[in-house]
Amino acid sequence: MGQPGTDRHDVDQPFDDTATTRLSLRRPTEADVAELFTMYSDPQVWRDDPLLRHTSAAQTRDRVQRWAES
């Protein structure tokens, strides 16, 4: 890894799971849809950009499927 703040991920490349002793990053799956919908549908989370707020779990499921395909 490079200097802090200089590591960049090419968004066009697949993202591999990453883990440290304190953090685990992975691509969301279908099993995460309910929890993600809770966040994506919360008006407080999206108060600065309300058009991005999800109004149905189907929107969140579609997003997760797009992430899986990328």
Side-chain angles (χ1 to χ4, degrees):
M1 294 195 137
Q3 295 294 326
T6 61
D7 293 328
R8 300 284 186 254
H9 174 72
D10 182 347
V11 296
D12 294 325
Q13 298 300 313
F15 180 80
D16 294 324
D17 292 354
T18 301
T20 69
T21 56
R22 297 180 57 199
L23 179 67
S24 175
L25 298 174
R26 64 174 175 75
R27 191 177 299 266
T29 67
E30 180 70 27
D32 300 310
V33 169
E35 286 186 76
L36 287 170
F37 177 64
T38 298
M39 179 184 70
Y40 274 91
S41 64
D42 185 338
Q44 282 298 100
V45 172
W46 299 102
R47 72 175 179 260
D48 294 327
D49 200 348
L51 295 177
L52 294 178
R53 186 169 64 92
H54 291 190
T55 57
S56 72
Q59 282 178 286
T60 307
R61 187 171 293 105
D62 289 345
R63 172 69 57 139
V64 168
Q65 288 172 349
R66 285 194 306 265
W67 285 331
E69 294 167 359
S70 65

